[in-house]
Amino acid sequence: MIGSRAKYITEADALDHVAGYCVVNDISERDFQTQRAGQWTKGKSHDTFGPIGPYLVTRDEVPDPQALRLTLDLNGVRMQDGSTATMVYGVAHVIAYLSQFMTLEPGDIISTGTPPGVGMGMTPQRFLSEGDEMVLEVEGLGQQRLKATQA
């Protein structure tokens, strides 16, 4: 979460604008994204999508945002197991880059993505069904437990 206003900042200064870090479940409604043409935004914007928490961990409690383990279990089976160390673009880069196009304000949240293992990328593809339980965790930031419901 952004803690202080950021506009046209450098990567070296980017983490100084962070208030803290939290877990965000980057849920996607793939049918909206693939069958209804246009931007992917509509598949990320459904009611209840993108739950945040359970905590906001302050910046000083996370010495290196590029050294956090990320996991997601679906119905008790590990589907994703990764690390922020393998992100294509690091947290500081993402913040600095976004600040070139928009002013980041205190309270803004930037979701940085997910490790490999999303159902759309599997063969065969695997999508959530009503009643499926997701347990996701970011090391040091907390754990979310969610059940998929009918939209």
Side-chain angles (χ1 to χ4, degrees), residues 114-128:
T114 187
V118 296
M120 187 173 168
M122 295 178 172
T123 304
Q125 292 180 322
R126 167 73 165 93
F127 300 103
L128 294 174

Side-chain angles (χ1 to χ4, degrees), residues 16-36:
D16 293 338
H17 294 273
V18 172
Y21 302 94
C22 60
V23 179
V24 177
N25 190 349
D26 185 21
I27 299 170
S28 301
E29 210 311 342
R30 298 298 188 193
D31 186 57
F32 287 2
Q33 292 175 322
T34 61
Q35 302 302 317
R36 298 188 182 185

